[in-house]
Amino acid sequence: MSKISRDEVAHLAGLARLAVTEAELDTFAGQLDQILDAVAKVGQVAADDIPPTSHAVPVTNVFREDEVRQGLTREQALAAAPAAEEDRFRVPRILSEEA
């Protein structure tokens, strides 16, 4: 017995905004049934004594350790700025005073 109907496939196709022909509805319903059967078999195999895993092999963190480093001084940062004013970056006004 089919687990998913043609109407359900048509509904899913509509949600996904896919144009599906009548023949494709039958094909996709059969394919989705096979997918649902495969997922059900995996659910049957999974045992309670087996912990869930996200990776088949152990994964280790490859990031470097955080180290405090000297940053730019105010003068160094402002040296590359196109415009500076009162020890700050000067940027064009984008909002009017009437806010």
Side-chain angles (χ1 to χ4, degrees), residues 80-97:
E85 184 178 299
E86 297 179 10
D87 289 334
R88 290 180 262 172
F89 294 105
R90 180 176 168 81
V91 295
R93 182 179 305 270
I94 59 171
L95 299 175
S96 68
E97 297 277 336

Side-chain angles (χ1 to χ4, degrees), residues 24-78:
E24 288 173 329
L25 287 176
D26 291 326
T27 302
F28 293 155
Q31 291 173 346
L32 287 171
D33 274 339
Q34 289 177 348
I35 292 169
L36 292 175
D37 287 340
V39 171
K41 287 178 186 175
V42 170
Q44 292 171 353
V45 172
D48 293 335
D49 60 337
I50 301 172
T53 58
S54 61
H55 297 287
V57 295
V59 178
T60 57
N61 188 350
V62 295
F63 297 113
R64 66 169 174 79
E65 293 294 322
D66 286 339
E67 299 172 1
V68 177
R69 295 184 182 179
Q70 182 64 38
L72 295 175
T73 64
R74 180 176 289 142
E75 291 78 21
Q76 289 171 325
L78 292 173

